[in-house]
Amino acid sequence: MRMAFVSKMKEQKDIVRAYRRYLKLQRGYSANTLEAYERDLLKLLNYLEAEDKHLLDVQLEDLQHFAAGLHDIGVNARSQCRILSGVRSFYRFLNKDGYRDDDPTELLESPVLGEHLPEVLSTEEVDALKASIDVSKWEGHRNRAIIEVLFSCGLRVSELVTLKLSDLFIAERFVRVMGKGSKERLVPISQTAIGELDNWFIDRNLMKIKAGEEDYVFLNRRGAHLTRTMILIMVKRQAVEAGIKKTISPHTLRHSFATALLEGGADLRVIQALLVFNDTATTEIYTHIDMTTLRQEILQHHPRNLKNKARL
């Protein structure tokens, strides 16, 4: 079994190298273009590996599920088209060079470019959003922590406003989240988000908190937990302050979390599990991916953790 697996992986690497030579020598692509094609192909290969599927055995249905996953996590239509264009190029090469007798991408559809998908912020734009906050105001550190937790953990705003102190496992670097339908999950949290929370807790400890509200992480100036509307207003206000022209909401940070992980090379199935969509298929995925894998994917591929590793 082990020998067969090693043999398949070697065959896959040989095929990818042959494809790279084809793009470089026959298509004449530049080094930057080659890197972009390889990066997008790796997204598919990671997905197929998680599905225990060899690239030569792929059928149209497998590619449709891959494309649907890109859509689910909020990858915009233009980026979806680019990734799927690279997938088509790869399978046309496999067909042309005799690796396959067919082309499973012939009926693979791309999204319509006019299709509406949520805006996504880059890491630099998230930093600009935080930098626009005046930390001399009492709510400054709170708002920075809100933005960072949304971006670093991919939470829904409804999950953020109900987040409790008892849900934070800082030493283990996990947050317990109660999602839709009372579905509980654990999400890794970055050191950057922990630092922002620590700053907020200094201010929070000085507040007079209403009875029954003591366990909520994020509070308003009256000592009660925040509402979704309050966070929406804050995020939109800070976007204006930061000079961000995109139409964004707290949900934008959730999609930015997913896109940052995907662009960093994380497994599409793991991203879906971290976001936990309300469909049976994704729930099944989540139950088959252990927390060690989820944590490793966050540590290896989220820009906040890459930045922290670079400092070491």
Side-chain angles (χ1 to χ4, degrees):
M1 183 73 74
R2 172 68 180 171
M3 290 296 294
F5 174 79
V6 171
S7 176
K8 278 191 172 185
M9 292 306 295
K10 183 180 183 302
E11 179 186 30
Q12 180 167 293
K13 288 180 180 178
D14 290 342
I15 291 172
V16 173
R17 277 196 291 268
Y19 177 56
R20 193 181 198 283
R21 286 196 298 271
Y22 161 76
L23 293 178
K24 182 178 181 180
L25 301 177
Q26 295 191 39
R27 301 299 298 271
Y29 288 159
S30 67
N32 286 341
T33 302
L34 284 174
E35 184 180 343
Y37 268 79
E38 288 180 335
R39 189 166 56 245
D40 287 342
L41 178 59
L42 184 61
K43 293 177 176 60
L44 174 65
L45 297 181
N46 287 339
Y47 173 79
L48 295 177
E49 183 179 350
E51 292 285 328
D52 196 24
K53 199 87 169 182
H54 192 274
L55 58 86
L56 296 182
D57 299 326
V58 164
Q59 300 300 317
L60 174 61
E61 184 180 11
D62 301 310
L63 299 176
Q64 288 173 330
H65 287 166
F66 171 69
L70 296 175
H71 182 280
D72 283 346
I73 66 171
V75 175
N76 66 51
R78 191 169 298 280
S79 294
Q80 287 181 53
C81 286
R82 186 202 71 227
I83 293 168
L84 295 180
S85 175
V87 170
R88 290 190 188 89
S89 170
F90 178 63
Y91 278 98
R92 282 196 295 267
F93 160 76
L94 294 183
N95 178 250
K96 180 179 178 181
D97 269 41
Y99 289 101
R100 288 186 60 131
D101 296 328
D102 64 337
D103 178 2
T105 68
E106 283 183 338
L107 299 178
L108 181 63
E109 297 181 356
S110 288
V112 178
L113 284 180
E115 180 182 1
H116 174 72
L117 281 172
E119 295 275 16
V120 173
L121 296 177
S122 66
T123 306
E124 292 72 24
E125 287 173 319
V126 174
D127 288 339
L129 203 61
K130 288 171 56 180
S132 71
I133 295 171
D134 184 354
V135 293
S136 68
K137 296 182 178 179
W138 82 269
E139 74 273 17
H141 286 300
R142 182 202 66 184
N143 291 348
R144 283 179 62 96
I146 287 171
I147 289 171
E148 190 57 52
V149 170
L150 287 171
F151 177 58
S152 290
C153 300
L155 304 189
R156 299 179 178 93
V157 67
S158 58
E159 296 167 345
L160 185 98
V161 297
T162 57
L163 191 65
K164 307 284 184 64
L165 296 175
S166 54
D167 293 325
L168 304 180
F169 300 89
I170 299 300
E172 296 81 8
R173 291 182 62 178
F174 279 110
V175 175
R176 180 174 57 202
V177 180
M178 189 62 69
K180 291 183 177 180
S182 298
K183 294 177 181 176
E184 183 181 294
R185 70 186 189 277
L186 297 177
V187 179
I189 184 170
S190 73
Q191 192 59 50
T192 302
I194 292 171
E196 297 292 358
L197 283 171
D198 285 343
N199 290 334
W200 157 235
F201 289 153
I202 293 172
D203 296 334
R204 186 185 182 281
N205 289 338
L206 301 175
M207 294 180 62
K208 183 178 181 181
I209 301 174
K210 282 189 174 182
E213 304 284 296
E214 296 90 352
D215 199 26
Y216 286 99
V217 173
F218 296 109
L219 304 170
N220 61 28
R221 64 175 64 246
R222 294 180 299 279
H225 68 276
L226 297 175
T227 66
R228 297 172 59 172
T229 302
M230 290 175 183
I231 295 178
L232 173 64
I233 292 171
M234 182 272 288
V235 169
K236 286 186 173 295
R237 181 182 66 242
Q238 295 310 142
V240 173
E241 292 288 332
I244 295 172
K245 304 301 183 185
K246 298 174 181 176
T247 302
I248 70 169
S249 70
H251 205 66
T252 306
L253 291 159
R254 177 170 158 87
H255 284 290
S256 302
F257 161 85
T259 301
L261 280 173
L262 184 71
E263 292 300 325
D267 185 335
L268 179 61
R269 283 166 51 101
V270 170
I271 300 171
Q272 289 176 305
L274 286 164
L275 296 179
V276 187
F277 299 103
N278 276 342
D279 59 82
T280 305
T282 306
T283 303
E284 290 174 355
I285 289 171
Y286 184 63
T287 59
H288 287 85
I289 300 175
D290 63 36
M291 291 310 302
T292 301
T293 300
L294 293 176
R295 180 168 183 164
Q296 288 174 344
E297 289 289 311
I298 289 277
L299 290 176
Q300 291 175 13
H301 303 297
H302 196 284
R304 286 302 189 227
N305 296 300
L306 296 176
K307 184 182 295 186
N308 287 326
K309 282 198 290 186
R311 295 194 187 109
L312 299 179

